[in-house]
């Protein structure tokens, strides 16, 4: 019955990320509010719980003794079920406007990708032709949804520009005064990030529905891949990990890379697994962090030759989807996808950096956080390699751990971790759940309980 413990642990971690994300948003909107330490600790604990949840092979966990007393198990699943109702509530509330200034363009990732798709429909290259001021003007949004840079008028800003500073410089640049050195203006992701939006943009539909649809498809694939008798628990826990639904509905384009990445991870034993991996890599750079861990898992299961072939397929998918823009202007394309690395961005995020930007701790040089990130990355790769047979799914969480220490560790990097953990557990050889034992141990769901065999 350890399977129920694994699933519940991931849901609890997702609930912790939900509350950490809410507090993070409040503090970013209202600097000076307390809770910075709680956010950093909450995300760190959530990552630790997820790592524990995917340790081991999971073989026959459905019938193995589960640690903890019955009252504790029942209490945890009651909590998960309550949080599942919260997660479901976010999905139901999707069509409604949530504030007076509500807009579907919650951040620059959504806004710039939408405008980039419009340019493609016009036969233009967004890496060279996108005008951020015209784009934002057409969408009715302002500089609060941009990524400012530490240069030009913001060169001497220590932590992050204030709203007044953003508005002042934005108005000047939009009116033609000076050169735009302060705001990211071109798409900063590979091409699938906006190519996938073409049908939605052409029809004039809200692209946020596509992101929610991607989440629902990923959740459905995980449930289908899991053991039949565990599906009600998986579905309840997927909703109970309410960070997934809340921050997808709240506005996140990250589901465009998350869906193919889930497919690639769950079905990495298939010969076509390189295709969804390539789509994930061609959508957003954060998927690149998963690639080495995915390769380690494939090498362990199918050997170096299969891994090399799958990686070649993934590279081909990446190349084909980006080829038109590479051919048109390779410099502009490289500048676009390398924006997070080559542009002088402000420290920002909900990881360790949050203590330095909003917690009163003196900010260190960029190189200090880059070193921490690199060291953490090397350690995670070593752990993944050394445990590749005893814990083959560990890489699904280890991949993101280095970003917790990065100069930019946005909350969007972490809220999808429960989805990847569920995908990892779903492919474990857990076995089938014993109905009577599940009932006696207090496993609860908001759906039908597993039936008797």
């Amino acid at each position: 019955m350890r399977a129920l413990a694994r699933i519940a642990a991931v849901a609890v971690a997702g609930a912790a990320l939900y509350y950490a994300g809410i507090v993070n948003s409040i503090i970013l909107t209202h600097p000076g509010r307390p809770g910075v330490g709680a956010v950093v600790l909450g995300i760190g604990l959530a990552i630790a719980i997820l790592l524990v949840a995917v340790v081991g092979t999971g073989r026959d966990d459905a019938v193995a003794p589960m640690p903890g007393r019955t009252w504790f198990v029942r209490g945890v699943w009651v909590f998960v079920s309550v949080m599942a109702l919260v997660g479901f509530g976010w999905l139901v509330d999707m069509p409604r406007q949530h504030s007076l200034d509500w807009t579907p363009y919650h951040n620059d990732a959504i806004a710039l990708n939408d405008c980039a798709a419009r340019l493609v429909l016009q036969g233009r290259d967004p890496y060279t032709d996108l005008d951020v001021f015209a784009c934002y003007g057409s969408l009715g949004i302002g500089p609060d949804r941009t990524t400012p840079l530490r240069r030009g008028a913001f060169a001497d800003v220590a932590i992050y520009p204030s709203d007044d500073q953003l508005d002042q410089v934005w108005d000047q640049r939009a009116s033609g005064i000076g050169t735009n050195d302060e705001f990211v203006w071109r798409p900063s992701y590979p091409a699938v990030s906006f190519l996938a939006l073409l049908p939605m943009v052409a029809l004039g539909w809200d692209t946020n529905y596509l992101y929610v649809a991607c989440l629902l498809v990923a959740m459905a694939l995980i449930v289908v891949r899991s053991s039949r008798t565990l599906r009600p628990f998986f579905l309840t826990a997927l909703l109970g990990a309410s960070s997934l639904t809340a921050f997808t509905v709240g506005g996140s384009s990250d589901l465009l890379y998350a869906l193919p990445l889930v497919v690639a991870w769950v079905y990495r034993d298939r010969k076509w697994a390189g295709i969804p991996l390539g789509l994930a890599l061609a959508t957003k750079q954060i998927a690149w962090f998963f690639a080495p861990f995915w390769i380690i898992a494939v090498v362990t299961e199918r050997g170096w030759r299969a891994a090399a072939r799958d990686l070649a397929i993934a590279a081909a998918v990446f190349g084909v989807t980006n080829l038109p823009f590479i051919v048109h202007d390779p410099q502009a394309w490289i500048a676009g996808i390398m924006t997070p690395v080559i542009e002088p961005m402000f420290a920002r995020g909900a990881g360790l950096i949050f203590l330095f930007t909003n917690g009163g701790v003196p900010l260190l040089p960029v190189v200090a956080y880059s070193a921490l990130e690199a060291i953490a990355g090397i350690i995670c790769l070593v752990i993944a390699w050394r445990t590749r047979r005893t814990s083959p799914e560990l890489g699904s969480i280890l991949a993101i751990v280095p970003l917790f220490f990065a100069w930019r560790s946005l909350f969007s990097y972490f809220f999808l971790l429960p989805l990847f953990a569920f995908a990892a557990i779903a492919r474990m050889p857990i076995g089938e759940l014993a109905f009577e034992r599940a009932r006696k141990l207090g496993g609860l769901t908001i759906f039908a309980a597993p039936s008797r065999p």
Side-chain angles (χ1 to χ4, degrees):
M1 305 299 287
R2 283 198 300 263
L4 292 184
R6 289 185 188 274
I7 298 169
V10 176
V12 169
L17 287 170
Y18 171 71
Y19 289 111
I22 291 176
V23 177
N24 174 248
S25 299
I26 292 173
I27 295 174
L28 290 179
T29 306
H30 305 283
R33 294 285 182 89
V36 172
V39 171
V40 177
L41 180 62
I43 294 175
L45 285 175
I47 293 174
I49 292 171
L50 292 171
L51 288 171
V52 172
V54 298
V55 164
T57 63
R59 183 168 298 279
D60 297 327
D61 271 5
V63 296
M66 185 163 67
R69 297 182 180 275
T70 301
W71 64 267
F72 178 76
V73 175
R74 186 179 297 275
V76 171
W77 275 101
V78 166
F79 173 75
V80 172
S81 295
V82 170
M83 293 306 299
L85 296 176
V86 173
F88 185 72
W90 276 95
L91 291 175
V92 172
D93 205 40
M94 171 69 184
R96 303 180 185 178
Q97 296 184 359
H98 298 285
S99 63
L100 293 177
D101 66 344
W102 183 89
T103 171
Y105 310 104
H106 308 281
N107 51 58
D108 61 340
I110 295 176
L112 291 180
N113 285 343
D114 189 283
C115 289
R118 295 185 189 188
L119 287 175
V120 172
L121 291 172
Q122 298 169 12
R124 300 167 64 188
D125 184 349
Y127 291 107
T128 59
D129 296 351
L130 198 150
D131 183 336
V132 66
F133 303 106
C135 168
Y136 274 43
S138 67
L139 301 179
I141 57 177
D144 59 317
R145 291 176 172 86
T146 61
T147 298
L149 300 172
R150 294 183 299 126
R151 65 185 180 201
F154 299 147
D156 297 326
V157 176
I159 300 297
Y160 201 82
S162 66
D163 289 343
D164 289 340
Q165 288 174 311
L166 289 171
D167 290 338
Q168 181 182 3
V169 176
W170 179 269
D171 291 341
Q172 291 175 352
R173 301 297 179 257
S175 62
I177 300 175
T179 304
N180 175 30
D181 293 322
E182 295 86 4
F183 302 98
V184 171
W185 63 267
R186 59 163 55 92
S188 54
Y189 307 118
V192 174
S193 63
F194 52 83
L195 292 179
L197 306 181
L198 292 181
M200 300 286 289
V201 172
L203 294 170
W205 292 352
D206 183 350
T207 55
N208 287 283
Y209 286 95
L210 174 61
Y211 306 140
V212 173
C214 287
L215 174 64
L216 296 177
V217 171
M219 293 169 68
L221 288 172
I222 290 170
V223 171
V224 169
R225 184 66 172 79
S226 64
S227 300
R228 180 183 61 84
T229 50
L230 283 169
R231 287 172 184 170
F233 295 96
F234 266 98
L235 187 51
T236 298
L238 278 160
L239 291 171
S242 40
S243 66
L244 299 177
T245 54
F247 295 104
T248 300
V249 171
S252 175
S253 62
D254 291 83
L255 277 302
L256 286 180
Y257 90 83
L259 173 57
L261 188 61
V262 165
V263 175
W265 193 273
V266 170
Y267 296 102
R268 65 176 184 262
D269 55 330
R270 309 299 174 86
K271 292 183 177 180
W272 46 263
I275 297 175
L277 177 66
L279 289 173
L281 299 177
T283 302
K284 203 163 188 178
Q285 293 92 326
I286 194 170
W288 301 359
F289 287 85
F290 287 88
F293 299 91
W294 186 87
I295 292 170
I296 289 173
V298 172
V299 167
T300 303
E301 293 181 9
R302 296 192 285 132
W304 285 102
R305 182 173 297 179
R309 186 198 63 214
D310 289 355
L311 190 59
I313 293 173
V317 171
F318 181 93
V320 168
T321 53
N322 284 274
L323 187 60
F325 309 102
I326 298 174
V327 171
H328 179 256
D329 194 324
Q331 276 190 316
W333 177 79
I334 292 173
I337 67 168
M338 295 302 291
T339 293
V341 176
I342 64 177
E343 296 288 11
M345 294 187 174
F346 285 95
R348 196 75 163 169
L352 188 66
I353 195 68
F354 204 33
L355 296 174
F356 298 85
T357 57
N358 292 77
V361 181
L363 193 64
L364 302 176
V366 179
V367 66
Y369 304 96
S370 299
L372 283 174
E373 182 182 4
I375 292 170
I378 293 171
I379 292 173
C380 288
L381 281 171
V382 171
I383 292 173
W385 179 256
R386 293 176 66 88
T387 63
R388 64 190 184 280
R389 300 191 188 281
T390 56
S391 295
E393 308 301 330
L394 203 55
S396 62
I397 308 301
L398 286 174
I400 296 299
V401 170
L403 292 174
F404 182 78
F405 305 94
W407 175 258
R408 288 182 65 83
S409 57
L410 305 182
F411 182 74
S412 60
Y413 298 165
F414 308 111
F415 84 94
L416 287 172
L417 278 176
L419 186 70
F420 304 135
F422 282 125
I425 296 173
R427 75 182 313 279
M428 288 180 174
I430 286 174
E432 295 295 340
L433 188 67
F435 171 76
E436 291 297 336
R437 294 187 66 192
R439 187 182 65 177
K440 290 179 180 179
L441 279 172
L444 299 175
T445 74
I446 62 172
F447 303 98
S451 60
R452 300 175 189 271

